[in-house]
Amino acid sequence: MLVKIHKRVFMNYIKGKIKKLIFYSKESGFVVALFRVKESNVLEIGSNKTITITGSFLDPSIDVAMTLYGDYKKNDKWGMQFVVESYEVDKPTTKEAIIDFLSSPFIEGCGEVTAKRIVEAFGEKSLDIIKNDKEKLLEIEGLTEKRAEKIHASLINYDKSGDTILKLQNLGFSIEECYRIYNYFKDEIDEVLANDFYRISEIVDFRKVDSIYVNNYGDKSDARVFACILESMRILSFANGDTFYYADEIRSTILKEFYIELTEDVFLECLDYLENNNDIIRLDKRIYLKEYYEKECNIAKCLKKIDSKAPKLFYNIDEKLKDLEEKLKIDYNETQEKAIKSALNNNITIISGGPGTGKTTIINAIVKLYIEKEKLGPADIMETIALLAPTGRAAKKMNSSTGIPAYTIHRYLKWYKDSNEFVYNEYNKTHHKLIIVDEVSMIDVDLFNALLNGISSNVKLILVGDTFQLPSVGPGLVLNDLIDSDFFNYVPLNQIYRQSDNSYIPFLAKEIKNNDLSEEFLTKKDDYNFVQVDSSNIKSAIKQITDISLEKGLDERSVQVLAPMYKGEAGIDALNSTLQEIYNPPDRKKEEVIYGEYIYREKDKVLQLVNDLDNNVFNGDIGFIESINGNKIIINFDGNRVEYDKKDLKQIKHAYAISIHKSQGSEFTHVLMPISKSYYKMLYNKLIYTGVSRAKKSLTLVGDAAAFQRAVGNNYSSGRKTSLKEQITMVYNS
């Protein structure tokens, strides 16, 4: 039986064929289509009627007879739709139906003419003969052995896919998840389901996989314990940024997260198994996920390989620097000169400094001097110099300052989301000779390892960042570990150097960094103000300030609200709701779409939450909704127009207010930042410093002055456990 998805008893159903695809996502299998109904148990539908259907399909082929199960319901915007929960492709029983099926896209190598010949020869037994006696196909006129094999294999695979989808759905996966699992594992799926079930967590949330496993197979198996230990280690990595762990914290996490209590002896036995299985590495009391241990080791080896090459020296640099100063009308300070010279005369240079210390100025000087020295033409520049950053906005900032294209690291290495692999890797290197990476503090072990794997060892590598900013979201403490190892040319930038000498913002950032906040922070400046209000009145104060700013011509494109947390009265979600009403209120002329608890309307300011290499949009990019047409949403990211389906809206959030974490790598003309004592868990100096340092022209703090002072004095550090520094020391001393 050619069943695709499990039939559910007592459900509403419709029988018929898809006549037109309105929308189809290959990634999720989600379909919007017109369906011609031949039979239905839904009174409002009846028969011989064309309706709209929505749902996920393995292969939404037109004119293939199928039965759909679900509900016929009204969509507030699009009217009545049949929402498909499950479906089955009807088994062809008549000669006409078999011809239609064999000539459908499901079956390779069989057009309508061939299908008719097969059915003429074998009649209603055609499908059974193709599956069980494929040699008989060679009796059909014009059918080669190769085409016969294609037809046979297509039918077998079709049946297998249907059986697999049915099996997965019966286990408890959604249609969309079934689709993704089947297409990810393909021929491996039977082995995965039988012997390595938790591999499904590579594409489906681990907790969902674990829940399904427990419901179907129980909670006592060794396989579950091993999988949950490994997942507990990953949880620790992303909660704390660690690359290694201790036994007690792993046991505590597996109990807290998965309610698995292990005695010390049993836990040690589990570790023995995982170590023998090559999943973990144990060194003394440290326990590593193998992947993080190997990545830290590899980073150290790659850096030494770059550093061991004889550097290509830059002669007459003092003279060239003076010429550049005159040309650009810039007077580089002593530290900036040191940074420029180090970058041009060494294979690896690290430059670190806070806002206003001239990092962008230095990058621009390095690029211009290198171009002049190597006598690079426009085409040569693209082939020789690569400017990189972890976020799209940081890359755009480098591009605007240098005039040279800059890329996210993911785009530079050509990352494929489906496989989570890079085109450029240890086997396929890029060829650029000068690589400058900005905002390195945001780069975790995974990404830095991928970068070093993908670039040539014959390169000048310049790493630029701010050690006092928030660390990477992922595990590791790359920039700090590189500096602390003391094996690389390192130039710290401490002198504030801005064209606007009276700017208070960089001086405030420096005071925060040094835990040395003067009372001056309460005094209004040309580019700074602290508006003192009780925490309960922060939202209304921000509304008032925003209203006044709007009257002055400062709209959502120039004003950015930054906050530490999403929840609460003064949290990001509440602020976005308030600010949306100010900047983009409801209007009959503006189309809207509802997604979950959020309303998105045309002209809304939104934030991208994930990397989308295909569309050249990245985590942290801010755009504006240009148009909404049904389920089709166009978002404009600084001229890059990207099309979203309604289901893709999980990738975005409103961006009138964004988190300080998401703001890293970006600069905003005017920053408005609430300071509430209700944020106490998030109020520490690195977070405040990062938010303050995002402001270019003006900064307004709103809220509790005492809470701000406490935050500045709070030197909370996650205390990340990493071993990159140790690995570098071992490699360089070997």
Side-chain angles (χ1 to χ4, degrees):
M1 188 172 181
L2 300 175
V3 177
K4 297 299 289 179
I5 300 294
H6 182 50
K7 177 179 177 178
R8 299 185 180 179
V9 185
F10 307 124
M11 259 193 169
N12 293 327
Y13 74 86
I14 55 176
K15 291 179 177 286
K17 298 178 180 180
I18 293 175
K19 303 306 292 185
K20 182 180 179 181
L21 286 175
I22 299 172
F23 175 83
Y24 173 45
S25 168
K26 288 186 177 180
E27 181 180 339
S28 66
F30 182 74
V31 165
V32 180
L34 296 179
F35 191 87
R36 183 66 178 175
V37 180
K38 285 190 175 183
E39 180 188 330
S40 174
N41 68 347
V42 182
L43 294 177
E44 302 109 296
I45 298 177
S47 59
N48 299 316
K49 187 176 180 182
T50 299
I51 64 170
T52 301
I53 65 168
T54 65
S56 294
F57 290 74
L58 185 66
D59 192 338
S61 296
I62 293 172
D63 284 332
V64 173
M66 58 180 68
T67 303
L68 313 182
Y69 302 90
D71 287 311
Y72 194 50
K73 52 177 89 172
K74 186 177 181 180
N75 181 285
D76 291 338
K77 193 167 185 64
W78 308 112
M80 298 301 293
Q81 299 177 341
F82 192 90
V83 181
V84 180
E85 293 190 22
S86 60
Y87 74 94
E88 58 185 26
V89 175
D90 296 344
K91 181 180 180 181
T93 55
T94 66
K95 291 181 179 180
E96 184 183 14
I98 295 171
I99 291 170
D100 285 346
F101 176 73
L102 288 175
S103 57
S104 75
F106 294 129
I107 308 300
E108 286 188 65
C110 190
E112 187 175 355
V113 173
T114 303
K116 285 180 178 178
R117 289 174 179 170
I118 292 172
V119 174
E120 284 172 6
F122 307 127
E124 294 173 0
K125 296 182 178 179
S126 294
L127 297 180
D128 288 335
I129 288 172
I130 293 171
K131 284 191 291 184
N132 303 316
D133 196 5
K134 66 179 178 180
E135 299 300 323
K136 277 188 171 292
L137 284 174
L138 299 177
E139 298 174 8
I140 304 300
E141 182 185 352
L143 200 57
T144 64
E145 187 174 348
K146 189 175 180 179
R147 283 182 66 200
E149 179 58 39
K150 274 189 177 181
I151 294 169
H152 168 76
S154 295
L155 188 55
I156 295 297
N157 288 336
Y158 183 85
D159 280 353
K160 183 180 177 182
S161 69
D163 292 341
T164 302
I165 295 293
L166 175 60
K167 187 186 296 184
L168 289 167
Q169 197 187 25
N170 285 338
L171 285 171
F173 293 104
S174 69
I175 294 178
E176 182 180 341
E177 288 166 342
C178 293
Y179 178 96
R180 287 165 52 206
I181 293 166
Y182 180 79
N183 281 284
Y184 183 82
F185 290 107
K186 296 286 188 185
D187 294 339
E188 292 184 88
I189 187 62
D190 290 338
E191 172 66 21
V192 168
L193 290 175
N195 301 313
D196 204 0
F197 191 88
Y198 280 90
R199 273 198 65 196
I200 297 173
S201 64
E202 294 174 16
I203 52 168
V204 177
D205 179 70
F206 182 91
R207 293 186 185 278
K208 174 75 177 282
V209 175
D210 184 54
S211 174
I212 288 173
Y213 185 90
V214 170
N215 288 339
N216 287 277
Y217 307 111
D219 62 354
K220 305 296 185 184
S221 75
D222 289 346
R224 180 176 185 246
V225 173
F226 298 147
C228 289
I229 289 174
L230 295 175
E231 183 63 17
S232 295
M233 294 167 75
R234 295 186 187 96
I235 290 171
L236 287 169
S237 284
F238 281 88
N240 305 329
D242 299 334
T243 60
F244 69 85
Y245 333 88
Y246 295 118
D248 287 347
E249 61 183 333
I250 300 173
R251 285 175 63 197
S252 172
T253 302
I254 193 174
L255 177 61
K256 176 184 175 185
E257 299 292 336
F258 303 105
Y259 309 105
I260 298 174
E261 188 171 5
L262 301 173
T263 66
E264 185 176 352
D265 289 343
V266 171
F267 181 70
L268 290 174
E269 287 177 13
C270 292
L271 292 183
D272 287 339
Y273 174 85
L274 291 170
E275 188 173 31
N276 291 332
N277 203 46
N278 218 19
D279 293 313
I280 67 169
I281 288 173
R282 287 188 284 179
L283 295 173
D284 296 325
K285 295 182 179 181
R286 296 180 179 185
I287 305 167
Y288 295 81
L289 282 168
K290 184 187 176 192
E291 59 189 282
Y292 291 135
Y293 178 81
E294 290 184 342
K295 284 172 182 177
E296 287 189 324
C297 291
N298 187 62
I299 287 170
K301 291 173 183 175
C302 288
L303 289 170
K304 186 177 182 181
K305 193 171 181 180
I306 294 171
D307 221 10
S308 63
K309 305 271 184 180
K312 195 173 180 179
L313 299 178
F314 197 111
Y315 300 101
N316 302 320
I317 193 166
D318 290 318
E319 181 184 333
K320 298 294 182 184
L321 262 174
K322 286 180 182 178
D323 292 343
L324 187 62
E325 284 180 321
E326 291 179 10
K327 184 178 179 181
L328 300 178
K329 297 180 180 179
I330 291 176
D331 185 17
Y332 300 116
N333 65 38
E334 185 179 342
T335 310
Q336 289 176 320
E337 284 190 5
K338 182 181 177 183
I340 295 167
K341 291 177 181 178
S342 177
L344 291 169
N345 282 322
N346 291 284
N347 292 342
I348 300 176
T349 298
I350 302 171
I351 302 168
S352 176
T357 54
K359 296 191 298 292
T360 301
T361 302
I362 290 168
I363 290 172
N364 195 30
I366 293 167
V367 168
K368 284 182 166 43
L369 289 170
Y370 189 88
I371 290 171
E372 183 184 351
K373 176 185 179 289
E374 299 295 330
K375 297 180 172 57
L376 302 177
D380 298 324
I381 293 172
M382 297 287 291
E383 294 294 316
T384 308
I385 301 174
L387 305 182
L388 310 177
T391 68
R393 292 186 70 84
K396 287 170 187 171
K397 187 175 79 173
M398 294 178 80
N399 170 234
S400 63
S401 68
T402 63
I404 295 174
Y407 307 94
T408 65
I409 296 172
H410 281 83
R411 186 162 188 82
Y412 176 71
L413 298 175
K414 295 187 178 179
W415 176 66
Y416 284 104
K417 181 173 67 174
D418 291 344
S419 62
N420 194 28
E421 292 176 332
F422 295 95
V423 171
Y424 292 111
N425 50 46
E426 58 267 44
Y427 309 109
N428 182 32
K429 308 276 189 179
T430 65
H431 54 265
H432 293 91
K433 302 299 183 185
L434 175 68
I435 295 178
I436 304 176
V437 189
D438 200 6
E439 300 290 351
V440 179
S441 66
M442 299 176 64
I443 299 176
D444 60 20
V445 166
D446 289 309
L447 190 55
F448 196 58
N449 179 69
L451 175 63
L452 293 179
N453 275 338
I455 65 176
S456 165
S457 58
N458 187 26
V459 67
K460 285 188 183 295
L461 180 63
I462 300 158
L463 305 173
V464 183
D466 184 352
T467 56
F468 205 73
Q469 279 195 48
L470 296 170
S472 60
V473 175
L477 205 60
V478 171
L479 181 60
N480 297 68
D481 282 349
L482 295 182
I483 294 169
D484 292 345
S485 73
D486 206 27
F487 281 98
F488 307 103
N489 298 287
Y490 169 52
V491 185
L493 305 174
N494 298 312
Q495 183 178 337
I496 295 171
Y497 188 82
R498 270 201 174 159
Q499 293 180 351
S500 178
D501 292 332
N502 62 350
S503 175
Y504 179 69
I505 298 168
F507 291 98
L508 176 63
K510 189 174 182 180
E511 286 186 343
I512 295 169
K513 182 177 180 179
N514 295 332
N515 299 122
D516 188 25
L517 189 64
S518 67
E519 289 296 324
E520 197 175 355
F521 85 93
L522 291 172
T523 306
K524 190 175 186 302
K525 308 289 192 303
D526 290 340
D527 64 346
Y528 168 81
N529 192 19
F530 196 117
V531 181
Q532 294 192 74
V533 297
D534 187 78
S535 291
S536 60
N537 296 320
I538 286 178
K539 190 167 74 171
S540 59
I542 286 178
K543 184 180 183 303
Q544 289 179 348
I545 294 168
T546 304
D547 284 332
I548 294 168
S549 299
L550 199 54
E551 290 173 5
K552 294 179 179 179
L554 301 178
D555 62 11
E556 68 273 29
R557 291 181 180 274
S558 57
V559 177
Q560 184 59 61
V561 177
L562 303 179
M565 298 174 66
Y566 279 93
K567 303 302 178 185
E569 182 67 18
I572 294 165
D573 289 338
L575 290 172
N576 266 320
S577 179
T578 297
L579 295 167
Q580 185 189 35
E581 293 300 302
I582 297 172
Y583 289 123
N584 194 28
D587 189 326
R588 286 185 298 174
K589 296 179 181 178
K590 296 176 189 172
E591 294 289 335
E592 297 181 348
V593 61
I594 298 173
Y595 185 79
E597 58 188 297
Y598 304 108
I599 298 173
Y600 294 98
R601 63 177 63 101
E602 292 174 342
K603 297 186 178 180
D604 264 341
K605 183 180 182 181
V606 293
L607 176 77
Q608 178 75 11
L609 300 174
V610 297
N611 291 324
D612 184 351
L613 190 64
D614 292 338
N615 288 306
N616 195 28
V617 59
F618 299 92
N619 183 5
D621 283 356
I622 292 175
F624 290 84
I625 296 178
E626 192 172 278
S627 65
I628 298 173
N629 184 8
N631 283 329
K632 180 180 173 183
I633 301 102
I634 304 295
I635 303 178
N636 192 325
F637 296 93
D638 291 336
N640 177 25
R641 299 172 74 251
V642 181
E643 182 179 320
Y644 291 75
D645 176 69
K646 183 178 177 179
K647 294 185 70 172
D648 299 328
L649 293 181
K650 62 186 177 184
Q651 299 180 13
I652 68 167
K653 286 184 79 75
H654 288 107
Y656 303 104
I658 65 174
S659 72
I660 295 173
H661 281 84
K662 286 291 185 185
S663 76
Q664 287 196 98
S666 302
E667 287 184 335
F668 307 99
T669 308
H670 306 282
V671 168
L672 186 56
M673 196 162 88
I675 305 291
S676 171
K677 58 186 179 184
S678 65
Y679 298 153
Y680 70 95
K681 288 184 177 180
M682 297 291 292
L683 287 180
Y684 56 97
N685 57 0
K686 277 195 175 184
L687 186 89
I688 297 297
Y689 171 88
T690 300
V692 165
S693 62
R694 300 306 90 199
K696 288 170 62 179
K697 286 190 176 181
S698 76
L699 170 69
T700 302
L701 303 179
V702 184
D704 190 322
F708 182 74
Q709 287 176 302
R710 285 196 298 272
V712 171
N714 181 7
N715 288 318
Y716 165 78
S717 171
S718 63
R720 294 187 169 192
K721 298 190 294 292
T722 67
S723 50
L724 178 57
K725 174 186 171 182
E726 295 173 22
Q727 294 297 343
I728 291 170
T729 301
M730 282 193 294
V731 169
Y732 270 70
N733 286 333
S734 63

